[in-house]
Amino acid sequence: MPAVSAPAKVLVSGANGYIAMWVVRTLLEKGYSVRGTVRSPAKGAYLTNYFRSYGDKFELAIVDDITKDGAFDEAVKGVDAVEHTASPFHLKATDPQELIGPAVNGTRSMLQSILKNGQSVKRVVVTSSVAAIVEPRNAPTIFTDKDWNQASLDEVEKHGKDATAFAMYRASKTLAEKAAWEFYDANKGKIQWDLVTICPPFVFGPVIHEVDKAAALNTSAADWYNTIVNEDNGGKPDELLTKQVSCWVDVRDLGHVHELALAKDAASEKRIIASAGPFTWQAYIEAAHKAKPNGLPNHPKLAKGAANPPTAMQINVDYDTRTVTEGLGFTFMTLEQSTKDTLDDFEQRGW
Ligand code: NDP
């Protein structure tokens, strides 16, 4: 199976994003060369400076509109592998197409460009999400790589612009990942590469992309910051603090999983669910108080937490992660470690 390893050259799309910056950094640290795409030279300047110690092992490519046919035609030339991370993640969409358009067309245009000009490409990794997997269920459920989120597609189909912002986002990730697998299956006879998708749950942890203030953080890191570094729990009611509804992964671990997805034969044609485990906000709040008993210098009072938290977490949603833990041999860091490191990062930034 066509795995690649350092010093291979990897194209990373959306390289200035929260997750992608860690992917690029991990690859460079492991000896790969990286070509990172951003939408404009201005967005690339920070990366060029941040990765300057790697010299010509890091280079930029400008792709101003990922949805255009041929958008990546130049960027894919001469690379050994691709990590396609670029896709909108925000909850402000007022029309499903705002998210579905770039998610699906961006994925298709990348794969089309690889088909046309990516003769040296051996593996393509698409950053999907558990949003493409998870659906509401009446009983606690362990979701697997066989599951697909049909519920959000139905909701968006039924309600259109009145669907929830979460349903729009989840539909965009489901449709984009399906488009990747459909393209792969349709072209298998003509290509020399294999496909891997990575499905992370909520991604939290330290930030290395360009962000000058907490208010400008990306969606998942902003949610964490607003909840934890906020005396009133970011306005979340107690029920939301204590009910387990999702899982988490540290962004640095996710960077490593993106590297393993390239380097391991066992990753071939897999949907890799990269989840460290279930969380409640209350668990994060308790970990934050242990890590920083006096809060942060600019925020001495961290989230106060729920009034009467349960002693144990009732797990409602979890994922089968054996592909990454057993298949790729990866061990995720603890929630306590991730919390401490994230708060250290915020402290150093004076947030
Ligand atoms: P960020 O918002 O930090 O990064 C998103 C990246 O995608 C940026 O480089 C952004 O470019 C680019 N992008 C977004 N929309 C467009 C567009 N219309 N055209 C071109 N580029 C675009 O998000 P994350 O790092 O959190 O997300 C990265 C990937 O991981 C996404 O695919 C997301 O769905 C997925 N994911 C994220 C999770 C999380 O909790 N953070 C969980 C699961 C999956 P620009 O800066 O120019 O807008």
Side-chain angles (χ1 to χ4, degrees):
M1 283 294 136
V4 301
S5 51
K9 185 166 197 164
V10 184
L11 179 71
V12 179
S13 68
N16 61 318
Y18 171 54
I19 294 168
M21 275 290 283
W22 279 106
V23 173
V24 174
R25 179 165 149 176
T26 307
L27 293 174
L28 290 169
E29 283 171 355
K30 291 195 174 275
Y32 295 80
S33 291
V34 175
R35 181 181 296 156
T37 76
V38 292
R39 289 205 244 195
S40 66
K43 291 197 178 197
Y46 173 87
L47 278 84
T48 309
N49 184 46
Y50 187 87
F51 294 121
R52 65 188 178 284
S53 64
Y54 291 96
D56 61 7
K57 294 204 95 177
F58 176 76
E59 65 190 42
L60 275 181
I62 307 299
V63 177
D64 61 353
D65 181 358
I66 62 171
T67 63
K68 272 198 309 223
D69 277 353
F72 295 98
D73 278 4
E74 286 305 308
V76 299
K77 285 183 181 168
V79 299
D80 302 297
V82 174
E83 307 254 26
H84 178 57
T85 81
S87 197
F89 179 16
H90 62 78
L91 302 174
K92 296 172 291 198
T94 52
D95 184 319
Q97 279 310 318
E98 271 178 59
L99 301 175
I100 293 171
V104 174
N105 297 335
T107 303
R108 284 204 187 116
S109 72
M110 173 63 89
L111 298 177
Q112 199 63 48
S113 290
I114 297 168
L115 189 63
K116 186 173 165 201
N117 280 345
Q119 279 71 28
S120 51
V121 172
K122 295 176 197 66
R123 180 161 287 180
V124 177
V125 177
V126 172
T127 309
S128 183
S129 168
V130 295
I133 292 179
V134 70
E135 289 184 316
R137 296 278 164 88
N138 293 328
T141 304
I142 297 176
F143 291 88
T144 76
D145 59 5
K146 303 278 181 299
D147 291 310
W148 284 95
N149 175 4
Q150 184 58 40
S152 296
L153 300 186
D154 294 344
E155 186 181 335
V156 164
E157 167 113 40
K158 190 166 170 203
H159 298 290
K161 293 179 181 175
D162 295 322
T164 63
F166 246 118
M168 293 184 199
Y169 171 69
R170 287 177 167 169
S172 80
K173 296 306 289 182
T174 308
L175 291 170
E177 193 189 341
K178 281 184 179 243
W181 286 113
E182 280 161 15
F183 186 99
Y184 180 64
D185 289 338
N187 290 287
K188 238 175 170 175
K190 313 184 222 167
I191 55 178
Q192 71 294 341
W193 48 269
D194 60 1
L195 180 67
V196 181
T197 60
I198 300 181
C199 299
F202 277 103
V203 184
F204 303 126
V207 171
I208 56 170
H209 66 297
E210 185 173 23
V211 48
D212 57 355
K213 52 183 183 295
L217 277 167
N218 59 293
T219 304
S220 58
D223 197 14
W224 198 96
Y225 179 89
N226 292 333
T227 308
I228 306 300
V229 188
N230 199 328
E231 193 184 351
D232 80 348
N233 309 317
K236 289 188 165 74
D238 282 12
E239 200 214 336
L240 196 55
L241 299 177
T242 54
K243 186 171 177 197
Q244 191 270 336
V245 285
S246 193
C247 294
W248 72 284
V249 64
D250 186 280
V251 67
R252 296 162 294 175
D253 278 352
L254 189 54
H256 284 287
V257 173
H258 276 77
E259 192 274 329
L260 291 173
L262 294 180
K264 295 276 192 180
D265 289 344
S268 180
E269 301 188 331
K270 294 286 192 307
R271 298 179 83 195
I272 300 174
I273 302 179
S275 170
F279 77 93
T280 59
W281 288 110
Q282 184 66 25
Y284 271 118
I285 291 167
E286 287 167 18
H289 284 284
K290 269 191 204 128
K292 302 279 173 191
N294 301 316
L296 300 180
N298 286 332
H299 291 278
K301 293 195 172 169
L302 297 175
K304 63 180 183 300
N308 294 302
T311 46
M313 191 191 307
Q314 145 87 40
I315 296 174
N316 300 307
V317 176
D318 203 352
Y319 297 95
D320 179 347
T321 56
R322 282 175 294 177
T323 301
V324 65
T325 54
E326 293 174 17
L328 307 189
F330 189 72
T331 304
F332 291 98
M333 72 175 68
T334 63
L335 183 144
E336 287 72 23
Q337 185 67 52
S338 179
T339 302
K340 180 184 178 308
D341 296 347
T342 309
L343 290 171
D344 282 346
D345 176 35
F346 294 162
E347 185 169 345
Q348 274 161 25
R349 291 165 182 272
W351 289 355

